[in-house]
Amino acid sequence: MMLFWFGLAGLAVVAELMTGTFYLLMIAIGFVAGGLAAIVGMSHPVQVVLTAVIAATAVALLRRSRFGRRRKLEAARDPNVNLDIGQRLRVEAWQADGRARVSYRGADWDVELAPGQVAATGWFEIREVRGSRLIVAAVGQHKT
């Protein structure tokens, strides 16, 4: 019976490598606990309960950790949705209202400063895309 539990743990680890989350590793920990219970000689129902309790506890602990929380970003600010986020562009001149017009990726774009930024010429990083406007911050400045 212990080979069954360790085999399930191995399958969970392989599946984890394909998905990239830590949740299947927590389930694999539960399966390993079931295998260890089998080695010690506990009955099958005890092995199943121990596996379930350990796996559920591990998943709950992961969920409370920083690895289990998902950051929810608006699509306009999410670099996984919009590949322009994080890209750099050069602004040569700003208007008095904190806006500029720049050429980026072969087209002219309206550029607006992110809150708390200073209108100075130089390199800026795209932080958000709102329609045809790029919201930028000076390169090297932390996100606000």
Side-chain angles (χ1 to χ4, degrees), residues 5 7 20 34 38 42 45-46 52 56 59 61 71 73 79 81 85 88 92-94 109 117 129 132 136-138 141:
W5 292 116
M42 294 182 179
V46 172
V59 167
L61 291 173
R71 291 185 343 194
L73 293 175
V81 174
I85 306 297
R88 294 181 177 185
E92 297 296 335
W94 289 95
W109 290 76
Q117 297 294 310
V129 179
S132 64
V136 299
Q141 300 236 340

Side-chain angles (χ1 to χ4, degrees), residues 54-89:
I54 296 292
T57 302
V59 167
L61 291 173
L62 175 64
R63 185 78 176 137
R64 290 178 177 254
S65 75
R66 68 182 176 109
F67 299 109
R69 290 190 201 112
R70 287 193 173 197
R71 291 185 343 194
K72 292 186 179 181
L73 293 175
E74 299 173 30
R77 295 181 183 193
D78 189 351
N80 295 319
V81 174
N82 191 328
L83 298 179
D84 291 322
I85 306 297
Q87 298 300 314
R88 294 181 177 185
L89 54 85

Side-chain angles (χ1 to χ4, degrees), residues 91-102 109-111 113 119-120:
V91 178
E92 297 296 335
W94 289 95
Q95 299 171 2
D97 62 355
R99 296 176 188 234
R101 188 94 171 143
V102 298
W109 290 76
D110 291 323
V111 175
L113 284 170

